[in-house]
Amino acid sequence: MSMTTVGTRRERLQGRWLGLAALTISGLVLGLDITILVTALPTLSAKLNATTDQLQWMSAAYTLALAGFMLPAGVLGDRLGRKRMLLIGLATFGISSVIASQMTSANGLILMRVVMGFSGAIVLPLMQSMLPSMFDEDERQRAIGISGAGAFIGLPLGPLLAGWLLTHYDWGSIFLINAPVVVIGVIGVWFFVPESKDPKAKKLDWIGAILEVLGVTGIVYGIIEQPLRGWTDVQVFGPIAAGAVLVAAFVVWQLRARFPLIDLKLFKSARFSWATVAFTIVGFAMTGVLFILSPFLQIVQANDAQGTGIRLLPLIATMMVGAFSTDFFAKRLGTKVVVTGGMLGNAVGMFMLSRVGVDTGYGLVAAALAVTGLSIAFTMIPSLDAILGSLPAGETGAGSALTRTLQNIGSTFGVAIMGSILNGTYQAGLADHLGGLPAQVQSAAQSSVAVAAAIARHLPSPLGAQLLRAAQDAYSQGMSEVMLVSAAMMVGGAILMALFLPARAPRESHAETLEMQVAS
């Protein structure tokens, strides 16, 4: 082999790992954007005179656009070119972030959040659907682990970064910070990520796309409204029911359409189907848990936003360890054992968190987060590898988007359902400690532990201290119930994976995948 050939091969190897770094940065900025806003809501309320509904829509607008447009975006990537669409998504996300940082009205910021959500819907599925064309099977899971870690690590990093930015800079900095990260991502993707697309591109199924966008958006909208209105409100069950009907119509249309948006025959693959189930279950439980744990650390255990982010570092650290080590274990033990073990580990971590109370030290929380972070990586990364490995080369964008859409719906359900369990337990636990307070104050205190803590600070010392302690105890009990439910879900998921998830990809499917080279 000539020196020129060796040098070219070395450059190609370095290039794809630099491309992976660019994709990982792209995922990181999306993960950050999901949680960074939560910490900034009180500041936005004051600076933009935003109402409670407008604050809710700053989060909801992003979630709705992200969930609804992910599948059409993935399909367009397969057909028009994944690199091309990814660059468009990143550029749009960066530009809309800069504009969002300069908004002077709440409604203007909500509009920009819609654009950011739509952009994220392009980036999230495509950043990982490109990996099979960049890496061979023996390296793919390691690459998935690294890229997946970017998005997951961004979630707990959000509160930490937001706390620091809001302490030192204006509120717009939480959006402006996206710009330099996006620039780095765009440069890396432009130079080091190869173009890939479906070599046999079909016509885009616009009817299917419209049915899917409207159906998923209706379901997610209803779930988002549930915490404020309750499950029986027409603005909750109405959109969910209408969305479910549209999704059912979408499925029927896909089975009959000549050129369907997504080939539902993918679910005939047990490896694809059960890996998607694992991905969705973990998304359901973990997102709900993260959004419930953050207020516990911040309000019940009296840490500021930055301190809360620091206390989530064990989750980040062990997630990174898991991201780099799942490849080793999956090759030796198989996907079934690693994913099943990861789900059982998640159950253990959540059970540990269910034992945490107001006076519990941070040690138990840190240990539980460490177990959970490692277990998330051991569950989600091999599952995603199994999903991507089961997809034909021409449909990695659509298949990845389908899985991500289901995970996004599961995560939204997780926040709503876990929030309902928490609120029910919290309100019941606090009810006996509100005697002597005006009815309006009682109602406000029962709305959230943050409101109860704010009320307690304005009450005379003995009464205020009693209310604060009662609210903290009630929230802790509610969190314990959520963690136990989540642990039970993980055990159930582990049983399903042990029974039905194939340990390894069928050899004939793997050979077929290798033969299908991606057109550039």
Side-chain angles (χ1 to χ4, degrees), residues 278 280-293 342-354 372 375-376 379 410-411 413-422 477-495:
T280 304
I281 289 175
V282 175
F284 177 98
M286 289 312 306
T287 307
V289 166
L290 185 62
F291 275 85
I292 286 169
L293 181 62
M343 286 192 144
L344 291 175
N346 275 309
V348 171
M350 291 173 186
F351 178 78
M352 293 169 68
L353 286 173
S354 74
T372 302
S375 302
I376 292 172
T379 304
S411 299
F413 262 116
V415 173
I417 294 175
M418 298 304 178
S420 293
I421 297 171
L422 173 70
Q477 183 59 40
M479 188 177 79
S480 177
E481 296 289 334
V482 167
M483 297 301 172
L484 290 174
V485 170
S486 299
M489 284 185 59
M490 288 299 176
V491 171
I495 294 171

Side-chain angles (χ1 to χ4, degrees), residues 403-490:
T403 300
R404 285 290 186 179
T405 299
L406 292 173
Q407 185 216 7
N408 196 278
I409 294 173
S411 299
T412 311
F413 262 116
V415 173
I417 294 175
M418 298 304 178
S420 293
I421 297 171
L422 173 70
N423 289 337
T425 306
Y426 170 76
Q427 290 170 4
L430 191 60
D432 295 335
H433 300 274
L434 297 174
L437 294 175
Q440 188 175 4
V441 174
Q442 292 186 28
S443 177
Q446 286 193 310
S447 65
S448 74
V449 67
V451 174
I455 292 172
R457 286 194 293 269
H458 293 87
L459 293 175
S461 182
L463 187 59
Q466 291 173 8
L467 175 60
L468 178 61
R469 178 66 189 208
Q472 291 173 332
D473 285 335
Y475 189 92
S476 298
Q477 183 59 40
M479 188 177 79
S480 177
E481 296 289 334
V482 167
M483 297 301 172
L484 290 174
V485 170
S486 299
M489 284 185 59
M490 288 299 176

Side-chain angles (χ1 to χ4, degrees), residues 65-309:
L66 186 69
F69 287 98
M70 208 178 298
L71 185 52
V75 173
L76 284 173
D78 285 338
R79 279 140 180 77
L80 302 179
R82 300 183 188 106
K83 176 179 177 177
R84 179 186 301 172
M85 287 297 295
L86 181 60
L87 287 171
I88 291 172
L90 284 171
T92 308
F93 188 87
I95 293 169
S96 58
S97 295
V98 173
I99 296 174
S101 72
Q102 305 302 312
M103 284 290 109
T104 57
S105 69
N107 289 334
L109 181 56
I110 291 169
L111 176 61
M112 285 300 101
R113 292 288 289 172
V114 172
V115 179
M116 293 170 71
F118 175 76
S119 306
I122 299 174
V123 174
L124 190 57
L126 293 183
M127 56 172 274
Q128 289 175 324
S129 69
M130 301 175 80
L131 298 179
S133 66
M134 296 171 61
F135 295 91
D136 297 330
E137 186 189 13
D138 60 339
E139 295 177 322
R140 189 180 63 216
Q141 188 165 130
R142 192 184 316 156
I144 290 171
I146 295 171
S147 66
F152 293 131
I153 289 170
L155 294 174
L157 270 180
L160 176 62
L161 182 59
W164 184 81
L165 288 172
L166 293 172
T167 300
H168 297 89
Y169 302 101
D170 190 60
W171 67 267
S173 61
I174 66 169
F175 298 111
L176 200 58
I177 192 67
N178 292 337
V181 181
V182 166
V183 169
I184 295 171
V186 166
I187 293 173
V189 171
W190 183 281
F191 286 104
F192 300 112
V193 175
E195 180 62 283
S196 62
K197 59 183 177 181
D198 186 351
K200 300 178 181 178
K202 307 178 184 68
K203 294 180 180 179
L204 181 63
D205 176 17
W206 288 105
I207 295 177
I210 292 170
L211 289 173
E212 185 274 337
V213 169
L214 294 178
V216 171
T217 302
I219 291 172
V220 174
Y221 172 82
I223 299 168
I224 290 172
E225 288 292 303
Q226 185 275 330
L228 289 178
R229 304 179 186 277
W231 291 107
T232 58
D233 191 282
V234 68
Q235 293 191 48
V236 174
F237 71 78
I240 292 176
V245 170
L246 289 171
V247 168
F250 166 75
V251 172
V252 172
W253 175 258
Q254 295 306 285
L255 294 173
R256 296 182 177 182
R258 184 180 178 186
F259 302 112
L261 187 72
I262 180 70
D263 186 3
L264 295 181
K265 293 178 182 177
L266 291 172
F267 286 104
K268 289 184 176 180
S269 165
R271 191 166 168 83
F272 176 85
S273 298
W274 288 105
T276 299
V277 169
F279 208 67
T280 304
I281 289 175
V282 175
F284 177 98
M286 289 312 306
T287 307
V289 166
L290 185 62
F291 275 85
I292 286 169
L293 181 62
S294 294
F296 175 83
L297 293 172
Q298 191 164 354
I299 299 168
V300 177
Q301 294 202 332
N303 299 294
D304 59 18
Q306 193 167 334
T308 298

